[in-house]
Amino acid sequence: MIIILIGPPGSGKGTQAAKLVDFYRIPHLSTGEMLRAAKRQDSPLGRQIADVIDRGQLVGDDLIMQLVEQRLAQPDCQNGCLLDGVPRTVQQAKLLDGKLPNRLGGISAVVALEVPQQEVVRRLMARAEIEGRADDTPQTIQKRMEVYEQLTAPLLELYRQRGLLCSVDAVGSPDQVFGRIQGSLRKKG
Ligand code: ADP
């Protein structure tokens, strides 16, 4: 089972990802987390990644696809996983199609978290104060939102056409939102 989770920054993607992997007992493949781990290493690549992420821009497709391919090849992903943060562009979605091992039988569902823009800005500013993520500055947040609207949102249409899209209202408590995700995945069967 391959489930893809898509949502703008501040949509609660990380929280719902944790609930999904727990409930469906599948491994979590988060490109954001993998990149933050790479960024923490004091290496030229780490510094390059930090520079891109902290400006709210997207890391190159080659690196992302390498990370995904390596992770999918690990034994715990033999029966699938939750893809969180990837694909993020139409191009990445195409590249991913070529990387998914046949045994997985393709993408099962794409969960898209829907939150009004003013709500995500409010959440991100609150998170910036608590967690101090380096990419949670007002300027970077703005950029990440733009990148989402321009490059990631078009993906939803692509997956809608393939009959895979489960759009979920992500305003509410984490448990409420998760309940909606479960309901919409059940309907997909
Ligand atoms: P967010 O909550 O902003 O969606 P993520 O943890 O998914 O955060 O990603 C954080 C940052 O990592 C992104 O803003 C981007 O710079 C980089 N990143 C993550 N996934 C990808 C990807 N698939 N392609 C390019 N860049 C990515």
Side-chain angles (χ1 to χ4, degrees):
M1 169 163 65
I2 293 272
I3 299 179
I4 294 177
L5 181 60
I6 298 180
S11 59
K13 193 160 59 77
T15 305
Q16 297 304 327
K19 289 181 179 293
L20 276 163
V21 298
D22 202 41
F23 186 79
Y24 291 100
R25 299 184 175 281
I26 47 176
H28 185 192
L29 190 164
S30 159
T31 48
E33 271 173 28
M34 288 163 123
L35 292 169
R36 282 189 286 279
K39 187 181 132 169
R40 281 194 290 275
Q41 283 163 17
D42 190 22
S43 66
L45 179 64
R47 280 188 287 276
Q48 222 176 313
I49 292 172
D51 187 51
V52 175
I53 293 183
D54 294 348
R55 279 188 291 136
Q57 290 174 342
L58 293 186
V59 172
D61 290 346
D62 286 353
L63 174 60
I64 294 294
M65 285 303 143
Q66 250 178 42
L67 289 174
V68 170
E69 200 171 9
Q70 280 170 13
R71 186 70 187 84
L72 282 176
Q74 283 169 20
D76 64 329
C77 290
Q78 289 314 294
N79 296 318
C81 67
L82 177 75
L83 291 176
D84 165 6
V86 71
R88 233 182 177 86
T89 62
V90 170
Q91 175 64 11
Q92 285 185 10
K94 289 186 185 152
L95 293 169
L96 178 69
D97 285 336
K99 298 268 183 243
L100 288 179
N102 285 336
R103 63 165 195 282
L104 293 175
I107 298 162
S108 311
V110 176
V111 176
L113 301 177
E114 310 267 5
V115 192
Q117 179 148 351
Q118 68 200 64
E119 171 69 9
V120 297
V121 171
R122 196 190 62 72
R123 290 186 189 177
L124 286 169
M125 296 313 289
R127 180 170 86 184
E129 282 185 17
I130 299 165
E131 291 181 15
R133 241 173 77 165
D135 60 349
D136 274 349
T137 63
Q139 220 182 0
T140 305
I141 289 171
Q142 182 61 34
K143 181 70 193 166
R144 279 158 59 211
M145 305 278 293
E146 280 169 28
V147 168
Y148 181 82
E149 285 308 321
Q150 285 170 12
L151 299 173
T152 308
L155 267 180
L156 305 186
E157 192 43 41
L158 184 135
Y159 287 129
R160 193 192 315 277
Q161 283 168 10
R162 290 198 199 168
L164 293 172
L165 191 69
C166 300
S167 275
V168 174
D169 172 8
V171 180
S173 72
D175 284 339
Q176 270 171 340
V177 175
F178 188 60
R180 292 178 200 141
I181 294 178
Q182 285 176 304
S184 115
L185 285 175
R186 230 177 280 128
K187 263 193 249 154
K188 271 258 126 38

